[in-house]
Amino acid sequence: MSYQLPTFRHPELPVNELGYTRADYEGAISTLCAGCGHDSISGAIVRACHELSLEPHRIAKLSGIGCSSKAPTYFLGKSHGFNSVHGRMPSVVSGAAMANRDLLYLGVSGDGDTASIGMGQFAHAIRRNLNMVYIVMNNGCYGLTKGQDSATADEGSASKKGDANPFSAIDLPGLALQLGASFVARSFSGDKGQLVPLIKAAISHRGFALIDVVSPCVTFNNNAASTKSYDFVREHAEATGTVDFIPMREEITASYAAGHAHEVTLHDGSVLHLEKLSEDLDPFDRVSALVALEQYRARGQILTGLIYMNKDSRDLHDVLETSRRPLNSLREEDLCPGNKVLVNINASLR
Amino acid sequence: MQALQSVNEFVIKFANVNGTGSASANNLFAKAIFRMGLPVCPKNIFPSNIQGLPTWYEVRVSERGYLGRRGGVDIMLSVNPQSMPQDIRELEPGGYFIHDNTKPLDLRLIRSDVTIIGIPLTRICNEQYKDPRQRQLFKNVIYVGALAALLDMDFAVLTELVEDQFKGKEKLILPNIHALELGYQYTKENIACPLGIRVRRADKVGDQVLLDGNTALGLGAIYGGATVAAWYPITPSTSVVDAFERYAKRLRIDPGTGRKNYAILQAEDELAAMGMVVGASWNGARAFTATSGPGLSLMSEFLGLAYFAEIPTVLFDVQRAGPSTGMPTRTQQSDVLSAAYASHGDTKQVLLFPSTPKECFDFAALSFDLAERLQTPIILLTDLDLGMNDNMSPPLVWDDERQYDRGKVLNAEDLDQIERYGRYLDVDGDAICYRTIPGTHPEKGAFFTRGTSRDEYAVYTEKGEEYEKNMHRLMAKWETIKQWVPGPVEQAAGRDTDTAVLFFGTSEESSMEALDYLVEEDGIHLNAMRVRAFPFNHEVEAFIARHQRVFVIEQNRDAQLRTLLMAEFELGPDKLKSVLCFDGTPISARNIRKQILQQMPGYNVTPLRRDKLVGGLGE
């Protein structure tokens, strides 16, 4: 059951360029557990989309199955949504993106949905550089079926039941880098200051943009022995640097000291400003990104922020050379060769 | 024993080694017969391996127009020592066995009731060609030349065909014609020509074409407006998307920009292929996938979602012999039940059963209209026999006035007129609801597509009455669907009868031929019906009701169409009798006749007795 939010809104809520308030980007009331990290991520999505002045109906939000995949109900109520089947959101987005290249595709998944049943589809969406934002709400456990370890649970980490996980974890940003992802970031649901600009940058990036968000499960995986608990992540997260995103519509006034900052102009004219803090990371070099991820992991720390970005990314439509007009807008005159051509084909078959 | 005598009515079979390039030579022979105005039906019977194993190519030539498998072989051209014992056994008494006598034939193989003809193919090649690959390839062309002499074929037709075939590769024309001449001359000079079996020009082909069903499906998808194809390679359906791509590259390039008005995604597996089709269709594009039985199994999860969430999808299933990997390169009609009820829970999927390349083309294009009109998956079931063999077919026709039926889709103006949009509201009473395409309207029309239960406004609910209401509507929609799918085709017997046959797809040609035999040789007259879609409509129900017994002819072990008829019409086991073939070869007319004759006296084989019905009858 989804409960709708009350329609009353304060008349003085700030509006964006389209005249929408933040409430216009919200969805139904969440039925996730109070304190669930996923709700914070939903809030960050709402804020990012509002601040970017995106038209809600031009966003398609898709998910698989699981707690995380329920989350799209709780944001962007004016967007078309698709709760597909377990682990198969990437293929549905692939088809949808082929049909209409002009919408923004926001995929939401979980660690079970992505790193187990959906691993194959996740990997192949990356290698095709599908133009989408892929957010993993990563809590290291299966909340809907009462707390089993997922494939992203760290070795030795224990869920509520208390048994330490005997298996090594799949690190989604590391995997994505190896598979050639063109945008890889990690964040923490409790760090909106970092997450919101990352989401904005991911939206403006052309190609596959992964944001792996550690999002504690308050019910089954927020205990002292868990490496995906609020306390653990707060104590062990290390940011690559500060990330600031300046949409193309705003006047660009930011100025930073040379040698400490990168400014990247994205394909839509937006500017991504990165102030580098991590000594080990060049976010435009895949090898450096992989090395940094491993180094932080070896230290028992979680590297967050923008980990890698390919500034010259070509998305799937670029590679396939598909029509600039959305395929779903083509009509008989564009698609059907007519009987005259068929007459010639018949003649060639005799 | 008198050698077989026949003009324009015979079966010839080529026994080759897989991977030696024989297919194009055999095809050259079949097409030459076709160009001489004779109905022809070539069937490739090939192993599921890369090279080295026996492979066969059977050609039915029939001036009377029979295009199915008859059963039996009149002429065997065997150039594969490995299969010779089996090959010579298959010959009809009085038949002709043609072999390469560069090495003498094993005396133990010789049958006294067969005419044995030796042509030194290897020796001729070794004398003419130095290159080993040329020796191998031209050996096949030489035996086609020899057949031209033996069967009294029009040699000019062969040379014309070679010229057409190698247009653009002119330097290959003369060597091929030379090889044809080598075979022709040797045979004319050394063997009494023609044989008792021969061909004579006729005018029985008209404007028909020779086309394989998979290419016809690909073309149907082009004409039907498909813009997204997502697939995973699998025999025998791979050439569907190959054909789509081949024609799309020619016919679907945007003239202004040079960019593609289509997208083809080779998925990582069948699950993803179907997901892509679902996503593209949900987003308003016409999308399809092509697969075979193992792929259908993997796609079932998404088919259930598409059924329940009412997303138009199109799937072409080119059936092969199952279960599991089964016989990947052999034909069957054994995905009927798994397609009809694909996925868990209460699902029913719409099936189309074409039986000719023209119907493949027509039904492929139609399936996109049906999917959008009915908002449900459309599964088009063909098989390897239709899909991968050249079948004679009426020419393909397109009505240039035809508009695509996009079904009930609301645009922004429509949504402006509506106070509250309900995705699953039955507004028109036909149980088909209005859908919206993402991105259409800033305020209205957005909803959540999901496989979980929801109310008429697409809001998640687990209220039992809401769920039941939705499931009842889906059944009501099933009734609506019956009026939109292609109806059955009936053929009345020459006289009154209370017995009939019912079949679908590629069983048609052999079934109709068997009915002729039953009339001519046994005095048995049977009415006939070919079903062309599931759900079965009322005509099918009435046809069965009109008859005391109906033989259901199909190519699987478990009588799947019969099961479906029994389940849908709540029939008892006595009414429908099975005629089955599931050895991986297309069912033959003789086989059908034999099984019907066995069951005719007293109709007392009740219920299905598979051991009695099918053992050893797959000739």
Side-chain angles (χ1 to χ4, degrees):
Chain A
M1 183 65 70
S2 301
Y3 295 92
Q4 301 302 311
L5 288 168
T7 49
F8 173 78
R9 291 288 189 276
H10 195 281
E12 287 173 19
L13 278 177
V15 295
N16 62 13
E17 285 176 23
L18 298 174
Y20 288 126
T21 68
R22 193 184 291 181
D24 290 311
Y25 294 84
E26 290 172 349
I29 290 176
S30 173
T31 60
L32 298 172
C33 307
C36 177
H38 299 1
D39 285 332
S40 305
I41 301 171
S42 294
I45 292 169
V46 166
R47 204 172 118 189
C49 293
H50 176 245
E51 290 178 5
L52 285 177
S53 293
L54 300 175
E55 294 178 287
H57 76 291
R58 304 295 290 175
I59 303 170
K61 48 179 186 175
L62 298 98
S63 62
I65 297 288
C67 291
S68 59
S69 294
K70 284 176 173 287
T73 312
Y74 316 131
F75 58 80
L76 296 170
K78 290 177 180 172
S79 303
H80 267 261
F82 197 141
N83 230 173
S84 65
V85 289
H86 206 183
R88 325 259 188 254
M89 172 269 284
S91 64
V92 179
V93 179
S94 303
M98 285 303 98
N100 185 357
R101 60 189 300 162
D102 286 353
L103 299 186
L104 167 66
Y105 295 96
L106 180 57
V108 174
S109 185
D111 38 303
D113 202 59
T114 291
S116 287
I117 188 167
M119 176 71 97
Q121 297 212 343
F122 172 68
H124 287 272
I126 289 174
R127 63 175 267 275
R128 294 189 190 101
N129 205 19
L130 184 64
N131 190 18
M132 73 176 295
V133 178
Y134 191 114
I135 294 177
V136 182
M137 300 183 172
N138 188 348
N139 57 20
C141 78
Y142 285 68
L144 272 185
T145 50
K146 301 199 185 298
Q148 298 82 2
D149 287 330
S150 82
T152 65
D154 291 304
E155 190 175 347
S157 177
S159 64
K160 191 178 180 183
K161 218 167 80 182
D163 297 334
N165 173 32
F167 304 113
S168 61
I170 290 171
D171 179 59
L172 292 172
L175 182 70
L177 278 172
Q178 290 204 342
L179 291 165
S182 53
F183 182 108
V184 178
R186 177 155 52 206
S187 193
F188 171 45
S189 65
D191 185 359
K192 257 187 201 162
Q194 183 192 55
L195 182 54
V196 172
L198 279 178
I199 293 173
K200 289 180 181 174
I203 286 171
S204 292
H205 173 72
R206 176 182 284 158
F208 190 93
L210 169 72
I211 311 178
D212 178 40
V213 190
V214 182
S215 171
C217 174
V218 286
T219 305
F220 295 107
N221 208 7
N222 194 35
N223 42 296
S226 164
T227 60
K228 295 242 179 342
S229 65
Y230 279 112
D231 287 347
F232 185 91
V233 180
R234 283 203 181 99
E235 285 161 17
H236 293 82
E238 190 76 39
T240 58
T242 55
V243 183
D244 199 6
F245 179 85
I246 302 149
M248 63 177 290
R249 295 173 198 83
E250 291 176 13
E251 190 189 356
I252 299 168
T253 55
S255 171
Y256 297 89
H260 294 282
H262 288 289
E263 279 192 357
V264 186
T265 304
L266 299 170
H267 74 95
D268 66 354
S270 305
V271 174
L272 186 65
H273 178 87
L274 301 166
E275 193 174 353
K276 189 176 167 186
L277 290 181
S278 168
E279 291 300 312
D280 311 315
L281 179 69
D282 171 2
F284 308 111
D285 177 42
R286 189 182 299 279
V287 176
S288 161
L290 273 165
V291 170
L293 269 180
E294 282 303 314
Q295 284 174 341
Y296 278 81
R297 185 153 70 164
R299 284 182 226 150
Q301 288 180 309
I302 304 161
L303 184 63
T304 67
L306 179 64
I307 295 166
Y308 174 73
M309 186 179 154
N310 177 355
K311 289 175 279 188
D312 305 314
S313 166
R314 292 177 76 232
D315 84 341
L316 182 54
H317 277 288
D318 295 334
V319 173
L320 293 181
E321 297 179 336
T322 42
S323 159
R324 303 247 186 246
R325 291 158 65 199
L327 293 177
N328 71 351
S329 70
L330 302 178
R331 297 288 168 252
E332 285 86 347
E333 57 272 24
D334 308 305
L335 300 175
C336 189
N339 194 53
K340 202 171 151 193
V341 170
L342 211 48
V343 169
N344 292 334
I345 291 173
N346 284 324
S348 72
L349 299 169
R350 291 192 185 110
Chain B
M1 177 105 200
Q2 166 78 29
L4 288 174
Q5 305 290 315
S6 167
V7 177
N8 292 352
E9 292 287 344
F10 63 95
V11 175
I12 179 168
K13 195 167 179 177
F14 299 80
N16 297 101
V17 179
N18 200 28
T20 56
S22 58
S24 55
N26 298 342
N27 185 262
L28 178 70
F29 169 81
K31 202 146 188 191
I33 302 272
F34 179 71
R35 283 210 180 170
M36 288 177 70
L38 279 165
V40 67
C41 178
K43 293 193 191 301
N44 210 340
I45 304 160
F46 59 106
S48 172
N49 81 334
I50 310 301
Q51 63 174 7
L53 282 183
T55 180
W56 293 272
Y57 188 85
E58 186 177 299
V59 183
R60 176 86 186 270
V61 179
S62 171
E63 192 170 354
R64 288 181 74 181
Y66 292 134
L67 294 174
R69 266 186 84 222
R70 181 198 70 185
V73 178
D74 303 321
I75 304 170
M76 180 68 76
L77 191 146
S78 178
V79 291
N80 184 0
Q82 200 186 338
S83 66
M84 269 185 190
Q86 173 188 343
D87 296 336
I88 201 161
R89 264 201 311 274
E90 273 188 52
L91 271 172
E92 298 284 290
Y96 302 87
F97 185 78
I98 304 165
H99 71 109
D100 179 358
N101 67 351
T102 306
K103 283 184 183 168
L105 187 66
D106 184 340
L107 292 176
R108 288 168 299 183
L109 295 181
I110 292 174
R111 270 173 61 177
S112 60
D113 61 344
V114 163
T115 305
I116 292 175
I117 299 162
I119 302 170
L121 298 169
T122 305
R123 180 163 63 79
I124 297 172
C125 283
N126 289 349
E127 287 166 5
Q128 290 284 329
Y129 308 104
K130 284 200 178 90
D131 177 59
R133 184 64 184 158
Q134 279 192 334
R135 285 177 175 173
Q136 190 176 55
L137 286 174
F138 284 124
K139 186 156 76 177
N140 305 320
V141 184
I142 289 169
Y143 71 59
V144 176
L147 282 174
L150 290 170
L151 299 176
D152 202 18
M153 289 167 68
D154 190 341
F155 196 80
V157 172
L158 280 168
T159 54
E160 277 167 26
L161 256 176
V162 168
E163 283 162 10
D164 288 354
Q165 195 174 328
F166 294 111
K167 206 165 266 174
K169 300 177 194 167
E170 269 71 17
K171 64 180 184 184
L172 295 173
I173 293 175
L174 279 179
N176 272 283
I177 291 176
H178 177 62
L180 284 170
E181 281 169 345
L182 283 174
Y184 188 81
Q185 292 303 340
Y186 176 89
T187 310
K188 274 277 186 198
E189 286 162 15
N190 296 286
I191 296 164
C193 295
L195 305 178
I197 293 176
R198 63 194 69 175
V199 292
R200 198 161 52 209
R201 268 188 182 276
D203 187 17
K204 301 290 181 184
V205 166
D207 62 352
Q208 299 209 66
V209 298
L210 260 190
L211 173 64
D212 64 273
N214 284 356
T215 300
L217 287 178
L219 267 170
I222 293 274
Y223 275 77
T227 52
V228 177
W231 70 302
Y232 187 73
I234 183 171
T235 303
S237 72
T238 299
S239 51
V240 174
V241 180
D242 286 346
F244 178 76
E245 183 167 28
R246 198 167 63 244
Y247 285 109
K249 278 180 177 169
R250 265 175 53 193
L251 304 170
R252 280 289 189 75
I253 301 299
D254 189 310
T257 62
R259 297 179 79 89
K260 295 171 184 165
N261 283 340
Y262 65 96
I264 298 175
L265 290 168
Q266 184 182 317
E268 55 272 30
D269 53 37
E270 285 91 344
L271 293 86
M274 197 67 209
M276 289 169 182
V277 172
V278 165
S281 305
W282 171 76
N283 219 2
R286 293 192 150 192
F288 75 98
T289 188
T291 192
S292 189
L296 180 73
S297 296
L298 291 175
M299 292 172 177
S300 291
E301 182 189 37
F302 262 124
L303 283 169
L305 173 75
Y307 168 80
F308 194 52
E310 300 179 70
I311 301 167
T313 45
V314 173
L315 190 167
F316 304 147
D317 175 16
V318 187
Q319 297 167 98
R320 66 189 211 186
S324 187
T325 314
M327 294 196 286
T329 59
R330 309 299 164 130
T331 196
Q332 247 176 28
Q333 299 175 312
S334 52
D335 296 345
V336 177
L337 285 173
S338 59
Y341 301 130
S343 195
H344 54 269
D346 291 324
T347 53
K348 281 172 181 283
Q349 310 288 6
V350 179
L351 313 181
L352 303 181
F353 307 119
S355 76
T356 61
K358 183 179 189 306
E359 274 192 345
C360 284
F361 174 81
D362 291 344
F363 286 11
L366 174 69
S367 57
F368 296 99
D369 282 350
L370 287 178
E372 292 206 284
R373 169 177 281 273
L374 306 171
Q375 296 178 28
T376 199
I378 304 295
I379 305 176
L380 190 152
L381 285 179
T382 72
D383 57 27
L384 181 143
D385 180 23
L386 176 55
M388 289 188 73
N389 289 319
D390 276 340
N391 283 268
M392 214 170 82
S393 168
L396 311 181
V397 183
W398 187 260
D399 174 7
D400 286 330
E401 300 299 309
R402 179 169 166 175
Q403 298 287 303
Y404 297 149
D405 183 351
R406 305 304 308 261
K408 299 183 184 182
V409 180
L410 298 178
N411 60 27
E413 293 79 48
D414 298 328
L415 286 164
D416 278 333
Q417 310 296 317
I418 294 172
E419 196 172 331
R420 187 183 176 197
Y421 166 68
R423 168 67 182 99
Y424 298 108
L425 267 178
D426 183 6
V427 177
D428 303 325
D430 60 359
I432 298 169
C433 309
Y434 286 83
R435 68 184 185 124
T436 57
I437 307 299
T440 300
H441 193 285
E443 300 294 330
K444 292 178 180 172
F447 66 95
F448 229 110
T449 300
R450 47 162 54 96
T452 38
S453 178
R454 70 273 146 160
D455 66 13
E456 290 169 324
Y457 296 92
V459 177
Y460 172 68
T461 179
E462 289 179 19
K463 285 182 188 162
E465 62 269 27
E466 291 284 355
Y467 172 82
E468 276 191 353
K469 191 172 166 188
N470 189 39
M471 292 300 278
H472 278 304
R473 182 180 55 75
L474 287 170
M475 268 314 290
K477 184 162 104 172
W478 190 247
E479 287 304 309
T480 301
I481 289 172
K482 289 178 181 174
Q483 66 184 291
W484 293 107
V485 294
V489 179
E490 267 190 78
Q491 180 179 290
R495 62 180 67 162
D496 281 350
T497 172
D498 64 357
T499 308
V501 294
L502 187 147
F503 47 84
F504 72 103
T506 53
S507 306
E508 180 186 23
E509 294 289 349
S510 304
S511 298
M512 299 309 285
E513 184 179 353
L515 292 189
D516 283 356
Y517 295 167
L518 285 162
V519 171
E520 290 163 13
E521 296 174 32
D522 312 299
I524 294 171
H525 295 257
L526 303 172
N527 292 326
M529 171 172 274
R530 175 165 68 93
V531 293
R532 299 197 298 171
F534 176 70
F536 308 118
N537 67 13
H538 304 295
E539 282 176 80
V540 180
E541 190 168 22
F543 178 81
I544 294 171
R546 267 205 316 278
H547 294 94
Q548 198 185 343
R549 295 286 187 280
V550 178
F551 291 103
V552 182
I553 302 166
E554 52 188 318
Q555 301 177 46
N556 56 66
R557 184 194 70 181
D558 288 350
Q560 296 193 19
L561 181 67
R562 175 178 179 266
T563 303
L564 205 52
L565 288 162
M566 285 165 60
E568 293 294 313
F569 296 139
E570 300 183 3
L571 295 169
D574 292 358
K575 185 113 185 180
L576 304 179
K577 302 290 173 194
S578 274
V579 172
L580 305 172
C581 171
F582 58 94
D583 63 2
T585 62
I587 195 166
S588 71
R590 286 183 185 175
N591 185 356
I592 293 168
R593 174 182 166 230
K594 200 182 278 188
Q595 291 192 52
I596 288 176
L597 285 177
Q598 274 191 355
Q599 295 184 78
M600 284 301 281
Y603 305 110
N604 56 0
V605 190
T606 304
L608 176 66
R609 288 277 302 275
R610 293 190 184 99
D611 54 337
K612 288 275 194 287
L613 299 185
V614 295
L617 286 172
E619 75 245 57

